[in-house]
Amino acid sequence: MLEGLILDDFMLRAALAGIFVALAAAPLGCFVVWRRMAYFGDATAHAAILGVALSLLMSTSILAGVLVVSLIMATLVTLLSGRGYAMDTLLGVMAHSALAFGLVAVSFLPGVRIDLMAYLFGDILAVSKTDLAIIAAGGVLVIGLIYWRWSALLTATLNEDLARASGINPRREQLVLTLSLAVVVAVALKVVGALLITALLIIPAATARRFCHTPELMAIAAAIIGGVSTTGGLQAAYWLDTPTGPTIVCLATLLFALSSAAARISRLVSRLVSRLVSRLVSQTGSEASAREK
């Protein structure tokens, strides 16, 4: 009974959903940043709208349709990469064409009324108990998969030749990464929407990169930053009466700007300190030589 009362609080369900998505997106976001795959996240996320349209057309589960289309998109990108097309060109074409086809397909659905804004920008406040269970299961699945393949993924990201010499297949690891990304896109659609999923992947990881010196520390810091962004953005949207998904991304962007400013100030301070130290050392040396004379 107590559990039912707790889960009846829509704000708590929304916060838990955001935290699960942030925890799953954090390590993936680190690999997206390291591999410079931002457009890959866009291609998979934009394909989610096409999945929504196909699900409504076939009267099936929207989550299942989004997951299947995202997996197909991720697999296609993996198979077509390196076959005569530059990666950024291929991803740009597939990302925007998937979004366009999805929006056009939605307009052709007869007698179906859907809130496109909820799928484009998320509707985290409408997360139900079933949605929360699915998001939690997807998040745990992705976290477990990344934890299992962490060493191999990291080696393949750093150097493919080193990975092959270690008996690791870089193509297989890329496929694992892309399939994990498709799962995150499917479960995060309800939280931040198709247009902002990539932001939740990249911004916390880019923020953590400023002050982390190991991959593991960067992944943990990105998870913390993502969790703070989702919960803080949720509260800010509630107080300010603003769209929740964009508010979450705005807070994450603010944290990124603050970390960038802090890193720049730290570099300036370190330069000033090093100059002062060098001057003191030179003055001390001059005084010592003058005394010897």
Side-chain angles (χ1 to χ4, degrees):
M1 182 176 178
L2 179 60
E3 181 183 359
L5 289 174
I6 292 174
L7 292 180
D8 278 337
D9 187 347
F10 74 97
M11 286 292 289
L12 180 58
R13 290 199 304 270
L16 289 175
I19 290 172
F20 277 119
V21 169
L23 291 177
L28 283 178
C30 293
F31 283 106
V32 168
V33 170
W34 293 330
R35 289 173 173 249
R36 299 179 181 178
M37 293 170 57
Y39 251 136
F40 186 90
D42 278 333
T44 310
H46 290 176
I49 297 299
L50 183 58
V52 170
L54 294 177
S55 300
L56 294 174
L57 184 63
M58 294 183 290
S59 300
T60 59
S61 168
I62 290 179
L63 178 67
V66 170
L67 181 59
V68 168
V69 173
S70 299
L71 288 172
I72 292 173
M73 176 65 75
T75 306
L76 279 176
V77 171
T78 303
L79 294 176
L80 292 177
S81 61
R83 297 194 177 186
Y85 295 99
M87 179 59 78
D88 58 345
T89 303
L90 178 65
L91 290 176
V93 170
M94 298 189 73
H96 298 98
S97 60
L99 179 61
F101 277 111
L103 294 175
V104 171
V106 167
S107 67
F108 279 110
L109 294 176
V112 176
R113 296 180 58 133
I114 63 170
D115 183 11
L116 255 184
M117 295 293 287
Y119 293 108
L120 291 176
F121 300 107
D123 191 9
I124 190 173
L125 296 178
V127 170
S128 64
K129 295 179 183 179
T130 304
D131 293 331
L132 180 58
I134 293 172
I135 290 171
V140 170
L141 175 65
V142 170
I143 292 171
L145 186 60
I146 296 298
Y147 179 78
W148 174 48
R149 304 301 304 170
W150 176 263
S151 179
L153 282 169
L154 195 59
T155 305
T157 300
L158 293 174
N159 192 303
E160 291 189 358
D161 293 333
L162 177 62
R164 292 190 184 93
S166 303
I168 299 170
N169 186 351
R171 299 277 293 183
R172 182 188 61 199
E173 301 309 319
Q174 184 178 353
L175 184 61
V176 169
L177 187 63
T178 55
L179 295 181
S180 301
L181 187 58
V183 174
V184 168
V185 166
V187 299
L189 186 66
K190 192 83 171 179
V191 177
V192 290
L195 296 184
L196 298 177
I197 290 174
T198 307
L200 197 60
L201 283 167
I202 295 174
I203 297 177
T207 305
R209 192 177 189 179
R210 295 279 181 176
F211 51 86
C212 295
H213 303 291
T214 64
E216 293 79 9
L217 185 60
M218 180 175 165
I220 294 171
I224 295 173
I225 293 168
V228 170
S229 300
T230 52
T231 54
L234 183 64
Q235 288 293 330
Y238 183 75
W239 291 332
L240 302 175
D241 193 23
T242 54
T244 310
T247 305
I248 290 172
V249 176
C250 286
L251 181 56
T253 305
L254 180 61
L255 293 176
F256 173 76
L258 290 175
S259 70
S260 300
R264 182 166 296 183
I265 292 172
S266 177
R267 286 196 298 268
L268 291 175
V269 170
S270 63
R271 288 176 185 174
L272 289 174
V273 169
S274 62
R275 288 178 183 176
L276 288 174
V277 170
S278 62
R279 286 181 182 178
L280 288 174
V281 170
S282 62
Q283 288 178 0
T284 304
S286 300
E287 291 176 358
S289 61
R291 288 174 183 174
E292 291 177 357
K293 291 180 180 179

